[in-house]
Amino acid sequence: MDLVPALEEPLRQPLKSLLGPATAKVMAEHLGLLTVGDLLHHYPRRYEERGQLTHLADLPMDEHVTVVAQVADARLHTFASAKAPRGKGQRLEVTITDGSGRLQLVFFGAGVHKPHKELLPGTRAMFAGKVSVFNRRLQLAHPAYELLRGDPEESVETWAGALIPIYPATAKLESWKIGKAIQTVLPTAREAVEPLPESLREGRGLVPLPEALLKIHRPQTKADIEDARSRLKWDEAFVLQVALARRRHADAQLPAVPRRPAPDGLLTAFDARLPFTLTDGQQRVSREIFDDLATDHPMHRLLQGEVGSGKTMVALRAMLAVVDAGGQAAMLAPTEVLAQQHHRSIVEMMGELAEGGMLGGAEQATKVVLLTGSMGAAARRHALLDLTTGEAGIVIGTHALIEDKVQFHDLGLVVVDEQHRFGVEQRDALRGKGKQPPHLLVMTATPIPRTVAMTVFGDLETSVLDQLPAGRSPIASHVVPAADKPHFLSRAWERVREEVENGHQAYVVCPRIGDEEDDPKKSAKRKSPEDEAEKRPPLAVLDVADQLTKGPLQGLRVEVLHGRMHPDDKDAVMRRFAAGETHVLVATTVIEVGVNVPNATAMVIMDADRFGVSQLHQLRGRVGRGSAPGLCLLVTEMPEASPARQRLGAVASTLDGFELSRIDLEQRREGDVLGQAQSGARTSLKVLAVIEDEEIIAEAREEATAVVADDPELTRLPALRTALDALLDEEREQYLEKG
């Protein structure tokens, strides 16, 4: 780390005289900026041109904004109030304009004097504050502002050039204050050390890093910004891909026991039992997995696919291959409902092959045990014994599998279902239970665009199932605008009744359970001011079930399912629904993954705008699993023009999960995708946009793989090693090591 001493300087000490301890404290606490280097890598979000005016007409509500505009007029009013009963209260109203719209600024009390003197008509300034509505007009109350008057001391120096950088800011620290702090430390950018190998940088015509930092913070032209961004995107993509390539390289050095299925063993017997043929996709992915299992270093594979593409079948065949080869396989599921469901369906699919050691069990049979936290002591003891002795070849369980008491005879394969719900420590603990590192197969039902998969799971080889098995039915999806057209909602319940009359079943999904103590503050907290609908709490399972039983679905057998029920009760409800005894299941998102009831053909999602795009797609995948066509109705009270309605329209218009996850990602950006995968809360991407910059990420992966193959420890590239240390603070380093 001694390579970049100037950039490693903490902001709070040596620069006290420049930044001030208060500013340094806010930067650390609110923006996570601790060193000079952190500050230099806090890039502008966008740029304002002095000659151009900001679009006031497009300001988002309830967000902290920075605008550049001109004062149109200013009026000082006096009024009487409790604090100033004699009419001595003062209110300054300033109207600013940018040609596209007008915005009112309001200052009160003693705060009016300075702006009254400075904000004269014709004055141009930057204003920062939170947009609110008063008397049906947009306003900023007590905004911070910075005059753009070009006085020789400050503004010419601070806002040199025609482009004004607007930084990601907080209410406690405005964009221009961050800009001034950056101008203070900008000279140290010349000491920034190049992380990119020289041949790569020159081969791609990228500007040197010091130049990129100067150009991004102090551009003279738009071309400067482009040069800087191209270079900084490469830095981010390349350093991240080097981290992942080193992970893959290190994993390839670990020893693992090759697992090859016996020629006429369990897998062959299972395949002979199947009443259908596997899809081409399932066969192709199975071959990739079997090739990996046969090697002497651990498999690390991500199996992703459409809802209902048959991932469980592929995973089960991999587990049977490992049992054939004398090992054991463990499947980790995120919820008890899902673990029980997997256990039930795997035992059914295997038949007598799952009755190892029992009368009537087939010759090649093994035992399939379930292990969850809520099992009784005797059943649990029995399951643990079967694992230790090796009697059970396959175990399916929840986090209970990770506990210290759980010992395996010879763990050869770990299958993690719904990867994004498990912490790294949990995956690591389970992998640590093998005598040698077991093979790892990670499954996700959220189809992830290739670039996101490469960025987030770049250490895993990826297999994609994008073909649905034969016999799957199409699902028709429709948006039901309950506020605009209440009769559409009545028709939705009629459709549910029709499905039940035709011998089918239905789900009704709600965002909330309804037995919690409602915190009025929480329920009133609005996601967006789009509509009155947002002001009420989300609809709840218990309330909706009650209303349906007494109203539109009277006479049908309606049951509820949610996460706070006792596990035995949950299991009993699912069994009754699977057996066709219950007509309508009103549930939370506990049914989101893995629940398989082919006779359920209809789903009504209440307050559908409260769910993410991928989640809606997952939920919808619970219907249309049999031969009858599926129906999914997305109920919302959002107005037609709102982004929420557009999102629901997108879900209704396509069944392609890969396409939907791209839409989802473009709307939400990759912060939550990457943040969750890399290090918990933060995204490590500042200028790189995963979807837009697909090519850079793919090329960076190739370059990084070549660099790491040639020099795994990066001994000849000390500056790259330094950049890696900066990206991988301790928390991320552990993350990458554990996988």
Side-chain angles (χ1 to χ4, degrees), residues 3 8 74 102 138 153 188 192 199 206 261 280 313 365 422 446 498 532 548 558 576 602 607 633 649 693 700:
L3 270 167
E8 289 302 313
R102 294 163 84 83
L138 292 183
E153 301 258 325
T188 55
S199 56
L206 300 168
D280 294 347
M313 173 60 70
F422 283 100
T446 308
E498 286 164 16
E532 286 297 308
L548 292 176
V558 177
R576 286 195 291 275
D607 278 347
L633 301 174
D693 299 320

Side-chain angles (χ1 to χ4, degrees), residues 324-346:
D324 248 357
Q328 291 169 294
M331 183 185 244
L332 190 58
T335 65
E336 295 210 349
V337 167
L338 195 51
Q340 287 160 343
Q341 175 95 22
H342 276 319
H343 181 254
R344 207 161 34 239
S345 62
I346 283 172

